[in-house]
Amino acid sequence: MTQQEALIRALPKVELHLHIEGSLEPEMMFELARRNGIKLPYDSVEAVREAYDFDNLQSFLDLYYAGAGVLITEQDFYDLTWAYLKRCEADKVVHTEIFFDPQTHTDRGIAFETVLNGIRRALKDGNEKLRISSRLIMSFLRHLSEEEGFKTLEMARPYLEEIDGIGLDSSELGHPPSKFERLFAECKALGLPRVAHAGEEGPPEYVWEAIKLLDVCRIDHGVRALEDEKLVESLAETRLPLTVCPYSNVKLKVFDRLADHNLRDLLAKGLCATVNSDDPAYFGGYVQENYLGCARELKLSVEEILQLVKNGFEACWLEEGERGWWMGECDIIAEKFIA
Ligand code: ADE
Ligand code: ZN
């Protein structure tokens, strides 16, 4: 085992970019389909995995929304979330901030409450039984209208205590952050912190819009920010975090190979880049695997690994004292690895 691999395995980590629906493994998809009497268009788990060969974001989203169709009951959402938290435990993820897409479910007749209660109950158990702290981010689907987003916000209104932040995801090209300016202003007025996917497939202008018009505190992905020098300068100065998802970017053809990923450049320019898995059941790796793959293919040093992991704690929504404590733990562990 290399020093880098040993360090990655030893460090406590956070995850800040994870769609809970994207953690639906094919095995569970079959189990839930059986439980709910749903016929899948695949004969086997292997056939599902073979279908996961994507050309771009949209070709993935088509399968991702179809796959989510097996999630019906509160117990389904609980089981999905619990399975993800067990993976967190195995990866030494001590804190996670996950997205859920209510519109993916309410649009097919599942009650908002069913989705929220299942996920929330699992997160509570994760906190109590696995000692994994968490936050829950309600994400709006940007291919739908802002008006649809407002309707979803109305559904969420009785449960705002249980929602820690707001996100924006789905098909990026043609759906700029500016489309959701009024909705995000309303969420801001409600005191909800905001993040948005931007600069995954979309241009740097979308990252600017997310910052200036939606007043986000993190950018999800943001890898195309490197194309705009002024934006890079601004991100370095403000340390506005990017939740980068290396395996996702390769699977969705943002980069040809992991070895071509710009994660190291983002770090070198002083950006608060973090490592995350996005939709691990579809992209072939949970967060630790993303770190390990990057360490191998980008030849990350132990210092770079430590920086990425600490960036995660810097970027997360834990209280400042707790964040500082975890960063101190990381330093103590890493000391043995730094010559
Ligand atoms: N929904 C789930 N994964 C996503 C991604 N990578 N980009 C945009 N929307 C998503
Ligand atoms: Zn995402």
Side-chain angles (χ1 to χ4, degrees):
M1 197 189 302
T2 63
Q3 286 283 89
Q4 282 83 348
E5 182 180 347
L7 177 62
I8 289 166
R9 292 186 186 281
L11 286 172
K13 292 169 279 291
V14 305
E15 173 143 68
L16 304 176
H17 186 154
L18 179 285
H19 302 265
I20 198 61
E21 295 88 350
S23 71
L24 177 62
E25 292 287 345
E27 288 80 3
M28 185 177 286
M29 195 188 289
F30 268 86
E31 168 59 17
L32 297 184
R34 190 196 54 75
R35 201 152 96 181
N36 294 320
I38 292 168
K39 174 101 183 80
L40 289 174
Y42 308 100
D43 292 334
S44 64
V45 163
E46 292 70 37
V48 180
R49 287 221 160 83
E50 270 167 37
Y52 292 172
D53 184 18
F54 311 113
D55 298 324
N56 51 32
L57 174 58
Q58 192 59 51
S59 67
F60 152 69
L61 289 171
D62 294 342
L63 286 195
Y64 162 88
Y65 294 127
V70 300
L71 297 160
I72 307 288
T73 66
E74 183 183 314
Q75 191 62 39
D76 297 343
F77 288 94
Y78 178 93
D79 291 347
L80 175 71
T81 309
W82 183 251
Y84 165 67
L85 290 168
K86 292 295 286 180
R87 298 299 295 251
C88 285
E89 184 187 32
D91 277 6
K92 277 219 172 100
V93 170
V94 297
H95 177 76
T96 183
E97 300 184 0
I98 70 172
F99 299 113
F100 76 117
D101 289 340
Q103 289 158 306
T104 300
H105 313 297
T106 54
D107 283 4
R108 44 187 190 90
I110 311 294
F112 184 91
E113 206 181 349
T114 301
V115 181
L116 183 68
N117 288 351
I119 297 172
R120 264 286 166 213
R121 186 157 56 84
L123 293 179
K124 184 166 178 280
D125 282 353
N127 203 12
E128 288 169 7
K129 296 179 185 162
L130 306 176
R131 302 210 144 277
I132 296 170
S133 54
S134 54
R135 299 288 185 272
L136 183 59
I137 303 171
M138 179 173 85
S139 219
F140 294 111
L141 299 182
R142 70 203 305 159
H143 67 274
L144 302 178
S145 67
E146 188 179 45
E147 195 187 337
E148 289 296 328
F150 271 111
K151 284 187 201 156
T152 298
L153 183 58
E154 280 317 303
M155 278 185 213
R157 227 174 250 273
Y159 309 102
L160 289 184
E161 282 294 296
E162 296 174 59
I163 291 165
D164 302 301
I166 294 296
L168 183 66
D169 62 9
S170 193
S171 324
E172 187 181 9
L173 290 170
H175 303 284
S178 53
K179 182 177 163 186
F180 297 94
E181 195 176 348
R182 289 179 322 134
L183 179 60
F184 270 60
E186 176 72 16
C187 293
K188 183 178 178 177
L190 290 167
L192 291 161
R194 296 151 314 286
V195 298
H197 283 54
E200 178 185 16
E201 284 188 342
E205 289 72 39
Y206 283 23
V207 178
W208 279 120
E209 280 190 16
I211 297 169
K212 292 187 171 167
L213 304 181
L214 307 187
D215 195 13
V216 295
C217 62
R218 286 199 299 248
I219 294 288
D220 295 312
H221 293 293
V223 289
R224 287 197 59 193
L226 264 194
E227 295 168 26
D228 180 335
E229 219 171 289
K230 281 225 150 45
L231 180 56
V232 169
E233 262 172 41
S234 166
L235 290 169
E237 195 184 307
T238 58
R239 296 279 295 166
L240 190 88
L242 305 185
T243 63
V244 179
C245 306
Y247 275 37
S248 163
N249 293 152
V250 174
K251 270 289 200 178
L252 302 187
K253 309 264 194 298
V254 176
F255 297 95
D256 291 336
R257 302 172 310 155
L258 198 51
D260 299 327
H261 200 284
N262 66 11
L263 178 67
R264 247 188 126 186
D265 307 329
L266 296 169
L267 261 194
K269 290 187 185 291
L271 273 60
C272 184
T274 67
V275 172
N276 310 273
S277 70
D278 206 6
D279 302 283
Y282 291 85
F283 302 149
Y286 286 76
V287 65
Q288 181 159 271
E289 182 52 40
N290 273 264
Y291 274 105
L292 292 170
C294 287
R296 230 182 299 119
E297 299 297 321
L298 299 173
K299 309 206 180 340
L300 298 179
S301 66
V302 291
E303 288 84 0
E304 286 169 320
I305 291 164
L306 177 62
Q307 185 68 55
L308 285 166
V309 171
K310 286 173 74 178
N311 283 351
F313 285 105
E314 178 183 333
C316 81
W317 293 344
L318 283 170
E319 294 294 315
E320 193 166 339
E322 232 174 322
R323 282 191 280 141
W325 187 86
W326 280 116
M327 285 193 231
E329 284 294 291
C330 290
D331 284 331
I332 292 166
I333 291 166
E335 228 169 74
K336 299 182 212 110
F337 294 84
I338 293 172

